[in-house]
Amino acid sequence: MGSVFSKKFLKTQNVVLMGLDSAGKTTLLYKIHSGVIMKTSPTIGFNVVTLQLDKKVGLTVWDVGGHGSMRANWKYYLEDSEALIFVVDAGDPSRIVEAKHCLKNVLSDHKMADVPLMILANKCDLPGAMSVNEVSQQLDLDSIKDRSWEIQECSALQGLGLQQAFLSVARLIKTN
Ligand code: G3D
Ligand code: MG
């Protein structure tokens, strides 16, 4: 899955990939797209790739730079998004409160009303990484009642959990 770019898609859905800088967004996007670990540098602007999930459905994934100064531009990428994937560095508890504020900010944009949410607790390969339950509690996900959401742990570095996550995103969009 995920490695083929094809013009034969019957339909592609726009998905935005957001999260703090260094959460692993670009690494995971290229890992699922091409199976390789790319040497990344902080994303200025955005990266975009199209993933073919099955014969009929593709996801066009917009990976938006997450550094503080670029977050002001996030609102421009939210138009026509069918889902939000928010990536958290589960290995860095010191930034989870910042991530929570960021997430809250994006979800409060009127363009995101009803848009389903997938939280990726990335870097689960790191020793001492927060569990899905810990990330979920820290982000207070249970308080989110106005949209469907899921959380999935993953490791972009090891390619763990990515396939399930993107299939779940497609399902969340379909059932929304
Ligand atoms: P960003 O696009 O969210 O800003 P990047 O983040 O994809 O640029 O990744 C930032 C750093 O985190 C990179 O390391 C990258 O290799 C690392 N990283 C990404 N995903 C994982 C993961 O699942 N596990 C671990 N252990 N590291 C990960 P460098 O050293 O290049 O800054
Ligand atoms: Mg990046």
Side-chain angles (χ1 to χ4, degrees):
M1 184 189 93
S3 59
V4 186
F5 183 95
S6 166
K7 290 182 181 162
K8 294 180 197 157
F9 293 154
L10 295 181
K11 199 171 183 186
T12 69
Q13 314 274 5
N14 282 324
V15 173
V16 268
L17 184 63
M18 290 180 169
L20 300 184
D21 52 293
S22 202
K25 302 177 292 298
T26 305
T27 305
L28 78 81
L29 187 60
Y30 285 112
K31 177 69 178 172
I32 186 138
H33 182 246
S34 57
V36 297
I37 297 296
M38 303 271 284
K39 177 77 193 122
T40 60
S41 50
T43 301
I44 310 290
F46 65 90
N47 302 299
V48 60
V49 303
T50 299
L51 305 172
Q52 185 169 2
L53 299 179
D54 65 28
K55 282 184 191 159
K56 292 187 179 171
V57 181
L59 297 181
T60 297
V61 187
W62 298 79
D63 161 29
V64 186
H67 195 270
S69 59
M70 279 175 272
R71 283 180 224 155
N73 296 327
W74 279 6
K75 56 181 181 288
Y76 301 114
Y77 294 89
L78 303 179
E79 200 82 54
D80 299 326
S81 288
E82 304 288 342
L84 168 67
I85 303 177
F86 193 86
V87 184
V88 174
D89 180 346
D92 188 359
S94 73
R95 295 192 76 194
I96 193 77
V97 172
E98 188 187 357
K100 180 183 174 183
H101 290 314
C102 241
L103 174 62
K104 202 174 161 195
N105 193 26
V106 178
L107 295 182
S108 68
D109 191 295
H110 69 278
K111 296 188 275 302
M112 297 307 278
D114 302 328
V115 168
L117 167 69
M118 169 62 75
I119 303 282
L120 292 184
N122 189 34
K123 308 197 189 182
C124 71
D125 57 284
L126 289 177
M130 290 179 283
S131 67
V132 158
N133 281 345
E134 284 172 288
V135 172
S136 184
Q137 270 185 1
Q138 291 287 339
L139 298 179
D140 197 18
L141 295 183
D142 281 339
S143 71
I144 299 177
K145 310 283 187 202
D146 58 349
R147 71 191 71 241
S148 47
W149 60 266
E150 284 182 24
I151 182 166
Q152 158 98 44
E153 77 176 4
C154 68
S155 165
L157 212 58
Q158 298 181 342
L160 292 173
L162 300 181
Q163 192 157 326
Q164 297 93 308
F166 280 88
L167 286 169
S168 296
V169 169
R171 181 176 36 75
L172 284 170
I173 293 172
K174 202 171 171 185
T175 54
N176 193 36

